[in-house]
Amino acid sequence: MERTKRRARTSWARARRRVLAALTDRQVQFLRLVCQVHEPTYTAIADTMGVSVGTVHGYRERLFQRFDIHSKVGLVLFAYRWGIVG
């Protein structure tokens, strides 16, 4: 039983490393901003990041495509699942 748990943790850790390696620093920053409690708009996120709203939409679309995510809620779940936010 302990060996199975250890194997599962190791497998998850490897998968997490692959996911994190596939993200740019800006995408991670975007995900952390999306997950804020006050639920910022994409415009507010763009202002915080110092980029255009179009750039923020580009981050979102690339994440949607790369990880088969379909909504803002999906982005939040993805970020929590892989430990990008805690």
Side-chain angles (χ1 to χ4, degrees):
M1 178 87 148
E2 186 60 36
R3 178 181 283 173
T4 303
K5 286 182 186 178
R6 189 172 35 240
R7 192 175 303 138
R9 281 192 303 267
T10 303
S11 176
W12 181 85
R14 276 194 301 267
R16 182 175 186 269
R17 281 192 297 275
R18 282 194 302 271
V19 166
L20 294 179
L23 297 171
T24 66
D25 291 342
R26 296 297 269 178
Q27 288 171 330
V28 170
Q29 181 185 14
F30 166 74
L31 284 167
R32 288 181 176 150
L33 290 168
V34 166
C35 295
Q36 289 183 344
V37 173
H38 66 278
E39 300 180 37
T41 63
Y42 290 127
T43 301
I45 291 170
D47 289 344
T48 300
M49 293 181 75
V51 297
S52 72
V53 174
T55 299
V56 166
H57 288 303
Y59 295 147
R60 183 194 65 209
E61 289 303 315
R62 281 188 287 285
L63 290 167
F64 280 3
Q65 291 172 3
R66 183 175 293 147
F67 298 104
D68 195 29
I69 299 170
H70 304 285
S71 67
K72 195 172 194 178
V73 171
L75 289 171
V76 173
L77 292 172
F78 173 84
Y80 275 93
R81 175 181 185 199
W82 295 111
I84 295 165
V85 294

